[in-house]
Amino acid sequence: MNLHIATIAVIAINVLVSIRGFNDASFFERYKFNIGAITAGQRERMFSSGFLHVDITHLFFNMFTLYFFADVVISEFGWFKFLLIYAISLAAGSLLALFFHKDEPYYSAVGASGAVTGVLYAAILLYPEMRLGLMFIPIPLPAYVLGIGYLLYSIYGMKSRLGNIGHTAHFGGAIGGYATALFFRPDVIFTDTLVVLLLAVPILLLFVLEKMGKI
């Protein structure tokens, strides 16, 4: 696959910032997502945390996913709109995490997962019938099915605090990618109405559960 220069640039920035974080604990602590620090005025953490990673494995899986789906989005929207989707999804992930964890001053997170999930969700919205497979699912499934399943799993993860994973940021990133892709391609609402509605179901469910105090 011949990667677009924009994809290479995003991966390179993630790698360089993450390596700095691996080797400099004070740098990592200063720029990670932390509720207490953000509410105290360090708003740049909402963006900088999206380029830090816990370890090489965390970095690899995020960049590996971006490698497969970034150019799908670029081929449809161009590099500038791809970067907008990436940035908006990163911001949306941080904003949703801030909303859900605002009363937890010690809550922290790092990783490009929100931004990458936004790019993935944008790609799913553009090509809902493309087949995706997972290691534990031997038969490739339509992308929109996995997209819906992933968000439902994220809701479960948020509700049960499952694992050391930023489920909230993943979900927020998906919302960012979904909304931005629809803004750039509103015709999808008419050409793939059912898929658009189905992908919106977990998003609506999340806020209904939040309103009911169930999450």
Side-chain angles (χ1 to χ4, degrees):
M1 181 187 292
N2 293 318
L3 289 181
H4 192 279
I5 186 65
T7 306
I8 295 172
V10 171
I11 291 174
I13 293 169
N14 272 280
V15 170
L16 291 173
V17 175
S18 292
I19 289 174
R20 172 72 185 275
F22 297 156
N23 296 308
D24 186 341
S26 62
F27 178 84
F28 184 90
E29 290 297 319
R30 173 59 183 83
Y31 291 106
K32 72 180 182 181
F33 184 96
N34 175 265
I35 294 291
I38 291 169
T39 54
Q42 295 178 1
R43 302 295 173 85
E44 69 278 2
R45 289 173 180 261
M46 295 182 70
F47 193 76
S48 62
S49 59
F51 296 93
L52 289 167
H53 290 82
V54 173
D55 53 31
I56 288 291
T57 302
H58 186 206
L59 173 65
F60 172 78
F61 277 110
N62 275 333
M63 296 305 99
F64 187 65
T65 304
L66 188 66
Y67 167 82
F68 278 109
F69 293 101
D71 282 20
V72 173
V73 175
I74 291 173
S75 68
E76 188 70 30
F77 289 139
W79 67 270
F80 183 70
K81 288 182 178 178
F82 156 71
L83 292 178
L84 279 178
I85 289 171
Y86 189 92
I88 289 169
S89 298
L90 195 166
S94 291
L95 285 169
L96 196 70
L98 184 63
F99 174 75
F100 273 95
H101 301 285
K102 57 184 178 294
D103 297 323
E104 303 170 48
Y106 296 106
Y107 179 87
S108 298
V110 293
S113 302
V116 173
T117 304
V119 171
L120 171 61
Y121 228 64
I124 289 173
L125 194 65
L126 293 169
Y127 300 102
E129 295 297 335
M130 66 177 169
R131 297 278 166 165
L132 300 178
L134 298 173
M135 287 183 289
F136 51 86
I137 301 177
I139 303 172
L141 297 171
Y144 74 91
V145 174
L146 287 180
I148 293 166
Y150 180 74
L151 287 195
L152 291 174
Y153 168 75
S154 293
I155 291 175
Y156 171 73
M158 291 165 65
K159 186 174 175 60
S160 61
R161 299 300 179 97
L162 186 67
N164 188 27
I165 299 170
H167 295 287
T168 316
H170 295 183
F171 204 105
I175 294 174
Y178 174 82
T180 311
L182 278 180
F183 179 78
F184 291 148
R185 280 284 307 276
D187 58 288
V188 175
I189 296 171
F190 305 102
T191 58
D192 282 300
T193 306
L194 180 59
V195 168
V196 170
L197 292 174
L198 287 173
L199 289 172
V201 168
I203 296 171
L204 294 173
L205 178 62
L206 175 69
F207 288 102
V208 168
L209 289 173
E210 190 278 331
K211 196 72 175 176
M212 295 171 62
K214 301 291 187 182
I215 195 168

